[in-house]
Amino acid sequence: MELHDMEEEIRLKHIFVGIDLHKNHHTAVILNGFKKKLGEFKFDNKPNEFPKLLAEVKKYLKKGITPAYGLEDTGGYGRALAVFLVEQKQIVKEVNPALPNGVRKANAITQKSDEWDAECVGHVLIDKFERLPDAKPIDQYWVIAQLVTTRTATATDLTVLINQLHAQLGHHYPSYRKFFSELDGKTSLAFFEKFPAPNHLEGVTVEELREFLLKPSNYACSFKSAEKILNLIHEDGSTKREYQEDRDFIIQSHIRRIRNCKEELQATEERLAVIMKETGYKLESMYGIELVSASGFVAEIGNIGRFKSSEKLARFAGIAPVFKGSGDKGKYYKCKQGNRVLHELFYRLACRQIGTKRGSKEPNNPYYYEYYQQKMLAGKTKTQAIICIMRKLVDVVYALMKNKTAYVKPTVQYKLAG
């Protein structure tokens, strides 16, 4: 059967339901295969309302006709509906938001309403039915995505708090950066919580300070370290000002919240570790992928079965080049679309592969380091060479997830970096 005949058969055997999704309610527009609007239906975004959609669609069904549903957001506001429809054994397709947006822009007069948005989704569903991925809202992948989102938000909060603590400590301890190697380490936080300003250290001896710091430092604090801190404070001079108690409170408040963020990060990562083990993926067997980045890959990719090939995954991540041409002329360009979070994950992974080990000129991954050098010698820019590596890494990640196997590092001869 030719492609045209197949598309014609799909149009004749289905009615198409495009759905515009929102937090509180959804809007469905029902179309026949020739984009004629048959009806529309608005319903609340709650499980007991979903059967009403099936009942409404059923009104337009004839013998031999099957409904197909198109949803833009099967991981957010539309997830509950997608789960319901899949459980009811309906045909459900994921529609990339960029596609109905293109339909909207293609019209001479730009419209914006829930009904028109739903109709645009329906148009895409009709035109690209066979190419759209089936919606597979599996709880395991959804939970991983939610945990990754939670961890990202917590890590962002932690960074903000640490930066704010830096600013506050600069007023109290001008030389505070020389006290400890890490501001958010246990020893540092314990010190600044106990002594938020230099005046709290009046009368404290080197021995007493060392005694206090022993436990948080896992008994690694020496007399020399304690003496260094007290000397630096003495050299800085007095920083006590009005409203000192309030300024001390601000620092101690920051420290309490930093500790809380770190505890939440640890708890989230522990849950991620458990559920990632259940997936059976061995992404962390590859250098440059640890628990957090492995979780990120799974959160953005979801069920690898959504992608029939690594080429499909590369396009989804915006890594495959895009051809632009007219007439006999054309050229491939870097894609600026696709899943940008996934694109960034592959970019960071590529950079780690071509880096060198600390204190050594030995490449982290000789295979990719050599491949990078070859691309540079061939006239590629650094960015272009990294994109080439990213494309190869898509194949690797796809295979690791598809087969649930561990990464095997290629054996190659390489020249030392530098």
Side-chain angles (χ1 to χ4, degrees), residues 13 52 61 82 130 135 140 158 163 185 274 285:
K13 289 189 174 182
K52 295 180 182 179
L61 293 179
E130 282 295 300
Q140 187 182 54
L158 179 59
N163 288 338
V274 172
S285 61

Side-chain angles (χ1 to χ4, degrees), residues 385-410:
I386 289 175
I387 291 174
C388 291
I389 294 174
M390 290 166 64
R391 181 60 188 86
K392 277 185 168 291
L393 289 171
V394 171
D395 293 339
V396 173
V397 170
Y398 182 84
L400 293 181
M401 293 182 69
K402 190 80 171 177
N403 305 317
K404 294 188 177 182
T405 53
Y407 177 72
V408 178
K409 194 173 184 178

Side-chain angles (χ1 to χ4, degrees), residues 50-329:
F50 298 161
K52 295 180 182 179
L53 172 64
L54 295 182
E56 181 67 22
V57 171
K58 191 175 181 180
K59 296 177 183 178
Y60 302 93
L61 293 179
K62 297 179 181 179
K63 188 176 181 180
I65 302 297
T66 305
Y69 298 81
L71 284 75
E72 275 189 323
D73 184 13
T74 59
Y77 295 143
R79 185 178 187 279
L81 176 60
V83 170
F84 170 79
L85 292 173
V86 171
E87 288 177 346
Q88 297 299 313
K89 303 188 184 307
Q90 302 295 309
I91 298 172
V92 187
K93 296 285 188 176
E94 288 186 15
V95 179
N96 188 312
L99 299 175
N101 188 47
V103 174
R104 283 190 288 270
K105 290 181 178 179
N107 280 266
I109 300 176
T110 303
Q111 303 179 53
K112 182 60 180 172
S113 68
D114 293 347
E115 293 78 11
W116 175 236
D117 288 346
E119 189 169 341
C120 290
V121 174
H123 286 188
V124 173
L125 181 62
I126 294 169
D127 292 337
K128 301 182 182 295
F129 183 82
E130 282 295 300
R131 284 169 281 176
L132 293 174
D134 294 328
K136 296 180 180 179
I138 301 172
D139 283 340
Q140 187 182 54
Y141 299 112
W142 183 77
V143 170
I144 290 173
Q146 296 304 303
L147 285 171
V148 168
T149 300
T150 299
R151 188 201 172 279
T152 301
T154 307
T156 301
D157 290 344
L158 179 59
T159 300
V160 171
L161 286 169
I162 291 173
N163 288 338
Q164 290 175 348
L165 182 58
H166 273 292
Q168 293 297 323
L169 288 175
H171 299 301
H172 290 194
Y173 293 99
S175 300
Y176 77 95
R177 290 179 180 273
K178 300 177 182 179
F179 293 4
F180 307 99
S181 59
E182 294 180 344
L183 180 59
D184 61 331
K186 288 183 179 180
T187 312
S188 178
L189 293 179
F191 174 84
F192 290 117
E193 183 178 39
K194 177 73 172 177
F195 310 109
N199 59 286
H200 293 279
L201 283 157
E202 290 177 3
V204 176
T205 66
V206 174
E207 291 78 9
E208 290 171 337
L209 179 57
R210 176 180 178 270
E211 184 67 27
F212 170 75
L213 295 176
L214 276 177
K215 189 174 180 180
S217 68
N218 292 322
Y219 298 91
C221 182
S222 63
F223 280 103
K224 187 176 180 180
S225 297
E227 185 179 32
K228 175 186 174 184
I229 292 172
L230 292 177
N231 286 338
L232 287 168
I233 293 171
H234 178 72
E235 291 172 4
D236 287 340
S238 175
T239 58
K240 189 174 182 179
R241 296 291 184 272
E242 289 186 291
Y243 303 103
Q244 189 63 52
E245 288 185 5
D246 300 293
R247 295 167 66 198
D248 294 348
F249 171 81
I250 292 171
I251 287 179
Q252 291 168 331
S253 173
H254 277 76
I255 291 171
R256 287 192 294 270
R257 287 184 289 161
I258 286 171
R259 283 207 184 101
N260 183 59
C261 278
K262 291 170 81 73
E263 289 171 1
E264 289 298 319
L265 275 178
Q266 183 178 347
T268 305
E269 289 174 8
E270 286 173 355
R271 287 187 173 274
L272 273 172
V274 172
I275 196 168
M276 282 294 291
K277 187 175 181 181
E278 291 174 357
T279 65
Y281 296 137
K282 299 179 177 63
L283 292 173
E284 294 165 73
S285 61
M286 182 176 193
Y287 177 86
I289 302 181
E290 25 64 53
L291 173 65
V292 175
S293 54
S295 303
F297 277 116
V298 175
E300 297 303 322
I301 294 172
N303 182 3
I304 194 66
R306 297 166 55 206
F307 304 96
K308 294 181 180 179
S309 65
S310 61
E311 286 77 14
K312 297 279 187 182
L313 178 57
R315 282 198 287 273
F316 176 73
I319 294 173
V322 176
F323 182 79
K324 294 181 181 180
S326 179
D328 297 330
K329 296 181 180 180

